[in-house]
Amino acid sequence: MFSRWICVLSVLILSGCASLQETMDVHKPKASISGVSIGSLSTDSVTLLLDVNVTNPNVFPLKTAGFDLGLLVNGNNIAKVNQPDSSLSLPAKGSNSVRLPVTLTFDQLLKSVSGLKGQKQLDYAVEGDVAVNLPVLGDLKMPVEFAGQLPIPQKPDVALKGVNMDSIGLSGAKFSVDLEITNPNDFDVNLSDINYQLASQGASLGGGKISKLDLGKGQKQSLSIPLNIGFSDLGMSSYRLLTSSDPVSVDISVAANLDTDIAGWKPSPLKFETQQMLKR
């Protein structure tokens, strides 16, 4: 009888060990940063979206136990994404992903990283750990990294090259306002709904609209704006401009909408204002 109980007990112990071995057969999950995209971009700041993917090779579900990531620019740690309590469900023999945002201002970058001023793009890297909770073993930290480049967007430069009186007659005068527009970026910029106005001492001298202007990366283009001033619309400043050799102060303003092919960048409208002394 005693030997029979010994046999039964041995079978139970062996089967229990097999079950424990199956339970302890834990495979290491895998984590990676599958991509970094631009959530929003302006001339002031950029929001990056970090796509983190975690794969569970086990026959039982798991959960993450937190994300601890750092954003580096030119080797300098600029920002952190620290979510120690973030729990992402990982199905058995499956994977899941999460998108983590991080926002940087370019002022912050310029103060923290030397050598960025005047640059058209910056090198960045994301480094850190993704923690996954494993049964019996506890939290396992898995290192992840990703590297890429980001453009530093700049608005086009507008420079006044001159204002010329092309002709004058009994009905009025024709002027041309010559501008030079430069795209300082490494990507194309499109200008649309270009509106211009000229005024002197608060009185409008006229204006107009140009439908569009396309600027390739680093391209510089000249823009000549025509302006007709009729005698019937003359104010005192306009009258002096057309009849006297004395210089007259003229205010010139140009506004335009901007568009690029960079995802996430919604540029604010371009505005240019200057004052020029004109004489006949």
Side-chain angles (χ1 to χ4, degrees):
M1 177 67 71
F2 179 74
S3 60
R4 182 181 298 177
W5 280 108
I6 291 294
C7 292
V8 172
L9 183 60
S10 299
V11 171
L12 290 175
I13 291 175
L14 290 174
S15 62
C17 288
S19 299
L20 180 60
Q21 184 177 5
E22 290 179 3
T23 303
M24 291 297 294
D25 190 16
V26 179
H27 299 284
K28 182 180 178 180
K30 294 181 179 180
S32 64
I33 299 176
S34 57
V36 176
S37 57
I38 298 176
S40 64
L41 180 67
S42 71
T43 52
D44 299 320
S45 65
V46 57
T47 296
L48 299 179
L49 303 175
L50 316 181
D51 294 320
V52 182
N53 185 268
V54 186
T55 301
N56 176 19
N58 297 285
V59 295
F60 45 85
L62 296 173
K63 286 187 176 181
T64 61
F67 301 90
D68 186 12
L69 305 174
L71 179 64
L72 294 83
V73 175
N74 289 0
N76 297 270
N77 204 324
I78 299 300
K80 292 189 72 66
V81 180
N82 189 5
Q83 298 186 8
D85 300 323
S86 180
S87 180
L88 181 67
S89 297
L90 305 173
K93 294 287 186 178
S95 63
N96 205 349
S97 60
V98 64
R99 177 167 283 183
L100 305 173
V102 56
T103 299
L104 299 171
T105 66
F106 289 116
D107 281 344
Q108 173 190 0
L109 287 172
L110 290 173
K111 291 176 182 177
S112 304
V113 182
S114 60
L116 279 185
K117 192 171 183 179
Q119 297 296 312
K120 296 181 179 180
Q121 62 184 17
L122 57 86
D123 297 318
Y124 73 91
V126 181
E127 298 177 356
D129 299 304
V130 176
V132 175
N133 185 263
L134 300 178
V136 181
L137 301 178
D139 291 348
L140 171 68
K141 290 186 176 181
M142 297 171 292
V144 293
E145 61 181 4
F146 188 92
Q149 289 184 323
L150 276 177
I152 302 178
Q154 302 174 53
K155 285 187 176 181
D157 297 321
V158 182
L160 176 67
K161 306 304 291 185
V163 180
N164 304 302
M165 181 185 292
D166 298 327
S167 64
I168 185 171
L170 295 177
S171 59
K174 292 182 178 181
F175 290 86
S176 59
V177 181
D178 296 327
L179 303 175
E180 186 175 76
I181 304 178
T182 304
N183 175 17
N185 299 287
D186 280 335
F187 49 84
D188 296 346
V189 174
N190 304 315
L191 281 67
S192 61
D193 297 328
I194 307 168
N195 292 281
Y196 58 90
Q197 293 288 332
L198 276 76
S200 180
Q201 296 183 355
S204 175
L205 299 179
K209 183 176 181 179
I210 298 174
S211 59
K212 62 179 296 187
L213 178 68
D214 297 331
L215 293 170
K217 60 180 182 180
Q219 188 178 7
K220 184 181 295 184
Q221 281 199 35
S222 297
L223 180 64
S224 185
I225 297 174
L227 180 66
N228 298 324
I229 302 178
F231 284 127
S232 59
D233 301 323
L234 288 180
M236 183 57 67
S237 297
S238 304
Y239 181 81
R240 284 200 299 118
L241 178 62
L242 297 180
T243 59
S244 172
S245 59
D246 296 334
V248 174
S249 175
V250 175
D251 299 313
I252 303 169
S253 63
V254 179
N257 293 325
L258 296 180
D259 188 29
T260 74
D261 57 359
I262 296 181
W265 188 22
K266 299 177 181 177
S268 56
L270 172 70
K271 293 183 179 180
F272 170 76
E273 294 181 346
T274 189
Q275 191 174 78
Q276 180 85 353
M277 298 300 294
L278 300 183
K279 63 181 180 179
R280 188 179 170 185

